[in-house]
Amino acid sequence: PARADQAAILEAKELQGRYEKALAALPAKTRDVFLMHRIDELTYQEIAAATGMSVAGVEYHMSKALAHLAKRLGIVR
């Protein structure tokens, strides 16, 4: 049990590192939109208002971010 817990902790840390590197590799605007939505929990409409983008622009950047992260983290279907 203790070894399984240690293995899970190491695996989680490794995944966190890969996630952070993948986020850092995103273009700034795309990363900002992603973080505003996922961390700050803003709606697409709120992000659009805050950035001066259209809602479609926010959707584009979120789609781009999600595809990038999925690919970098090996979650591509």
Side-chain angles (χ1 to χ4, degrees):
R3 283 193 173 187
D5 290 345
Q6 288 176 343
I9 289 169
L10 288 174
E11 190 173 318
K13 285 182 180 180
E14 188 266 338
L15 179 60
Q16 180 69 30
R18 287 176 44 217
Y19 173 75
E20 289 173 4
K21 284 181 184 175
L23 267 181
L26 285 169
K29 187 182 289 188
T30 302
R31 182 176 51 252
D32 290 346
V33 167
F34 178 81
L35 294 174
M36 290 171 84
H37 184 61
R38 292 297 173 99
I39 303 299
D40 300 332
E41 299 183 353
L42 298 179
T43 65
Y44 286 8
Q45 292 79 11
E46 291 169 329
I47 296 167
T51 61
M53 272 186 231
S54 64
V55 172
V58 173
E59 290 171 346
Y60 167 80
H61 285 284
M62 279 300 296
S63 175
K64 187 174 172 181
L66 292 170
H68 170 82
L69 292 170
K71 183 176 180 183
R72 292 285 296 263
L73 299 176
I75 307 171
V76 176
R77 299 173 203 198

